[in-house]
Amino acid sequence: MKLARFIAGGRSLNGHLQDGQLIDPAGVAHDPDAVQFRLPVDPPKVIALALNYNDHAGELGLTQPKEPALFWKPNTTLLPHWGTVIYPRGAEFMHYEVELGVIIGRDARRVKAQDAMDYVGGYTIGNDLVVRDYVTNTFRPPLRGKGWDTFGPLGPYYVTADEIKDPHDLTLTAHVNGELRQEGSTRDMIFGIPELIEHISRFMTLQKDDVILTGTPKGISHVRPGDVMRLEVEGLGVLQNDIQEEDEAAEPIKGKESREGEWDGR
């Protein structure tokens, strides 16, 4: 089932998608194109995975880590379907990353891989946006590059786990202004969902509605103010967001991180 949280007629509602309409608890149908989508869940935390596709590591000239490379995605990055992404003034290279988002269905601690899928509540689409200027040093978490407000669109739906036969065999695509820029498959993930849940839950509790962003395949490219990103994961719907430049009062980015983590002096 595809579940959604949305605003219609000034009311915050929950509903499910049926025959192309969002059906609220009273049975009233709403046109998905006429509502304001909210986040599919309010996650206690979002954990993202870097370099989980070999082809993506290769296009960046980086070596794939030997164990999952994790980082936080601050909750202030989160943005719903049709929300506007803010392009930081002065950024030289900002790009999208289409990802499968795993929604935890119940608290998980010290879960073994063979039991891990029992803790998955469902799935959503994630866009792990990044200013690449700030992600050249792979030895520290890329918070400055990936933690900007609005850099974590999620949605539009919470697709329950029973609706997805095999989350490790889904096509991912990203279009920018109607042009196909990125295409891959979750078949090519290096660390699968059971391995990730086992690894993470060994040292922290995964809480209900936490989201794990599982990485992106090859195909990143620069996006600019005025662009529209349309991301799709097979069976999960379409996540679409436009980009606008940060307001003129914001101080532009004046430098970027070197591989040693020092400013380049610009």
Side-chain angles (χ1 to χ4, degrees), residues 72-83:
W72 295 106
K73 199 75 175 177
N75 282 32
T76 48
T77 66
L78 300 182
L79 189 73
H81 179 50
W82 289 337

Side-chain angles (χ1 to χ4, degrees), residues 5-264:
R5 303 163 73 220
F6 58 94
I7 297 174
R11 300 173 61 207
S12 293
L13 298 168
N14 297 323
H16 66 276
L17 193 66
Q18 179 179 312
D19 298 326
Q21 298 287 299
L22 289 170
I23 310 300
D24 72 19
V28 177
H30 303 265
D31 181 353
D33 293 331
V35 304
Q36 179 182 343
F37 276 85
R38 300 167 59 208
L39 292 170
V41 291
D42 288 320
K45 56 185 174 290
V46 178
I47 301 169
L49 193 69
L51 306 177
N52 198 31
Y53 289 74
N54 265 322
D55 57 358
H56 179 53
E59 73 177 329
L60 296 174
L62 300 172
T63 301
Q64 171 61 40
K66 294 181 180 179
E67 65 177 35
L70 307 173
F71 61 93
W72 295 106
K73 199 75 175 177
N75 282 32
T76 48
T77 66
L78 300 182
L79 189 73
H81 179 50
W82 289 337
T84 296
V85 171
I86 302 302
Y87 186 101
R89 291 179 62 82
E92 292 184 2
F93 183 18
M94 170 176 158
H95 63 79
Y96 51 84
E97 292 185 356
V98 59
E99 307 202 5
L100 172 66
V102 178
I103 303 174
I104 299 299
R106 57 191 173 102
D107 289 4
R109 183 73 162 95
R110 298 177 184 168
V111 173
K112 297 299 183 184
Q114 62 264 28
D115 302 317
M117 297 306 290
D118 293 339
Y119 291 81
V120 174
Y123 307 94
T124 193
I125 304 170
N127 187 354
D128 179 20
L129 285 149
V130 55
V131 174
R132 184 59 57 179
D133 309 34
Y134 287 143
V135 193
T136 56
N137 185 334
T138 59
F139 294 99
R140 66 187 186 194
L143 283 176
R144 186 164 51 177
K146 292 174 173 279
W148 292 78
D149 290 355
T150 75
F151 269 34
L154 289 178
Y157 302 111
Y158 181 145
V159 182
T160 54
D162 62 305
E163 188 161 318
I164 302 302
K165 182 178 179 180
D166 184 1
H168 298 96
D169 189 18
L170 303 175
T171 298
L172 308 91
T173 59
H175 288 77
V176 180
N177 303 328
E179 176 189 359
L180 179 63
R181 298 277 187 92
Q182 185 178 26
E183 186 172 15
S185 172
T186 57
R187 290 191 305 270
D188 299 323
M189 287 195 299
I190 295 168
F191 300 104
I193 296 167
E195 295 170 277
L196 293 174
I197 291 176
E198 179 178 70
H199 179 76
I200 297 168
S201 71
R202 180 63 185 88
F203 61 89
M204 75 168 74
T205 299
L206 286 169
Q207 298 166 277
K208 183 180 184 301
D209 292 340
D210 278 352
V211 175
I212 302 173
L213 297 179
T214 56
T216 198
K218 180 181 178 180
I220 60 172
S221 64
H222 187 46
V223 288
R224 300 169 175 84
D227 287 346
V228 176
M229 301 169 292
R230 179 183 172 88
L231 276 55
E232 186 169 0
V233 176
E234 184 180 355
L236 303 188
V238 174
L239 174 63
Q240 184 165 306
N241 300 91
D242 68 319
I243 303 172
Q244 293 183 13
E245 188 165 22
E246 198 172 20
D247 66 89
E248 294 183 0
E251 181 180 353
I253 294 174
K254 294 181 178 179
K256 61 183 179 181
E257 191 180 81
S258 73
R259 290 192 179 275
E260 291 73 37
E262 301 295 336
W263 290 102
D264 66 359

